Amino acid sequence: MTEIIKVEHLKKNFGKFEALKDVSFTVDSGEVVGFIGPNGSGKSTTIRTLLGIIRKDGGTAQIFGQDVWKDSLAIHQRLSYVPGDVSLWGNLTGGAIIDFFMKLHGKGDYAKKEYLIDRFELDPKKKAKNYSKGNRQKVGLIAALSVDSDLYLLDEPTAGLDPLMEAVFQEEVQKLKQEGKSILLSSHILSEVERLADRVVIIRQGKVVEEGSLKELRHLTRSVITLETRNDSSSLENLEGVHDFTRQGNEVRFSADSNQLDGILAEAARLGVKKIESVPPTLEDLFMRHYKG
């Protein structure tokens, strides 16, 4: 697959503060990559570096095979960007601002703009100074999604949106994915990333600490198992890999290390299994594993 974004050992300092210490990841064509981490981890700094807004202090960063700083003008002709806090011209209407952004980009689809205005339930005749944060965010999203780009950089794009509009956003991202577009999605809504992303990059304190598909990363944390046995199940509590064990009668609930499941299930089978339920770890589990650190 073609690498749309390629970042290797990216570094950025603000004075003595190391905002980015060592960031490496890729985004391939037609791929949605979730970019997550706690506040201050370096997500927005990375995205601003990719946009050519700030200059890196080390490493390499390329989009479409071009340097993000030297070739930023050419790169911007093929990408769309939505920040987490959209600033608008207060005396212009939302519709006028969307039209302006589309003309600046040059690849606007005005039929799609009207469709998205309807989908996001935006009043385009209202002046921007009268918009709520959620409506300002809708303007940014509609402007970005109304142009035909090869890459979409979305930095907390649903900040301020209600759950219904979040669902609309997710549906539109799925459509872009089906069209073969590439998307880097930074979001605090982990269920959103889990639903949309092909791969996840977790950043913490300026370093990438985990990267891979959810399937690849789930072995790093524990599944939650609920089990009912015919015989006394107390022996399960002392098995290697069993954590947070609770028991009510012959029904037990515990979290289990993935690499110890063979032994745990063998003991459960010896006790006689009446019911078993296993819930795989979520993206939130993976995130919190690094957040707690």
Side-chain angles (χ1 to χ4, degrees):
M1 296 181 71
T2 305
E3 287 181 338
I4 301 300
I5 297 177
K6 185 175 182 180
V7 176
E8 292 183 317
H9 308 296
L10 189 64
K11 301 180 190 299
K12 178 61 187 177
N13 301 325
F14 294 105
K16 294 182 179 180
F17 175 66
E18 290 182 289
L20 301 178
K21 299 173 185 175
D22 185 7
V23 175
S24 299
F25 66 92
T26 61
V27 178
D28 292 333
S29 58
E31 185 177 44
V32 179
V33 172
F35 193 44
I36 62 173
N39 289 333
S41 60
K43 300 188 303 297
S44 292
T45 301
T46 300
I47 290 175
R48 287 169 185 157
T49 303
L50 290 173
L51 288 166
I53 296 172
I54 56 179
R55 193 169 190 171
K56 62 181 172 59
D57 291 316
T60 60
Q62 294 181 331
I63 295 179
F64 310 126
Q66 298 172 293
D67 183 88
V68 295
W69 180 261
K70 296 177 182 176
D71 304 309
S72 61
L73 183 60
I75 289 169
H76 277 246
Q77 293 173 353
R78 299 176 60 189
L79 68 76
S80 292
Y81 165 60
V82 180
D85 191 5
V86 176
S87 297
L88 304 174
W89 297 275
N91 285 323
L92 293 180
T93 65
I97 293 170
I98 293 169
D99 287 344
F100 178 63
F101 281 139
M102 290 171 68
K103 287 176 182 176
L104 279 178
H105 192 283
K107 295 181 182 177
D109 182 337
Y110 288 90
K112 188 173 183 181
K113 179 199 77 170
E114 295 300 328
Y115 159 79
L116 290 169
I117 286 173
D118 183 59
R119 284 280 278 150
F120 282 101
E121 299 178 5
L122 177 74
D123 180 357
K125 297 179 181 178
K126 209 172 183 180
K127 286 192 174 182
K129 63 184 178 184
N130 297 319
Y131 278 147
S132 64
K133 174 172 174 52
N135 280 325
R136 292 198 304 273
Q137 207 65 27
K138 289 178 186 180
V139 170
L141 281 168
I142 293 167
L145 297 175
S146 294
V147 298
D148 183 24
S149 295
D150 296 314
L151 172 65
Y152 294 80
L153 297 179
L154 308 176
D155 188 7
E156 303 291 345
T158 57
L161 296 188
D162 62 44
L164 181 61
M165 293 298 106
E166 286 175 13
V168 171
F169 164 77
Q170 291 170 20
E171 290 169 10
E172 294 304 318
V173 169
Q174 289 284 13
K175 291 176 185 176
L176 291 176
K177 185 176 175 180
Q178 290 166 7
E179 293 170 11
K181 306 299 186 181
S182 301
I183 300 164
L184 181 64
L185 171 63
S186 170
S187 176
H188 275 105
I189 305 171
L190 299 185
S191 60
E192 181 173 84
V193 175
E194 191 162 15
R195 190 172 294 114
L196 296 173
D198 300 299
R199 285 192 300 115
V200 175
V201 175
I202 302 176
I203 184 173
R204 185 171 188 266
Q205 295 179 347
K207 292 183 179 179
V208 171
V209 292
E210 216 73 77
E211 180 184 2
S213 68
L214 284 174
K215 186 176 181 180
E216 291 168 340
L217 296 180
R218 276 180 171 144
H219 78 278
L220 299 169
T221 190
R222 300 164 182 162
S223 298
V224 176
I225 294 176
T226 303
L227 189 66
E228 184 180 353
T229 59
R230 294 184 180 87
N231 300 307
D232 182 10
S233 56
S234 58
S235 61
L236 291 167
E237 184 173 6
N238 298 317
L239 291 179
E240 188 175 358
V242 172
H243 307 269
D244 307 319
F245 187 91
T246 59
R247 180 182 174 195
Q248 187 172 6
N250 279 340
E251 183 170 298
V252 296
R253 181 182 173 88
F254 55 89
S255 55
D257 293 331
S258 298
N259 60 351
Q260 299 295 334
L261 282 175
D262 281 350
I264 294 167
L265 293 177
E267 175 64 12
R270 189 185 68 80
L271 298 171
V273 177
K274 292 177 67 177
K275 182 184 78 173
I276 185 169
E277 178 184 322
S278 177
V279 179
T282 64
L283 180 56
E284 185 172 3
D285 295 328
L286 288 165
F287 179 79
M288 292 305 295
R289 175 176 180 266
H290 291 291
Y291 187 86
K292 291 176 180 177

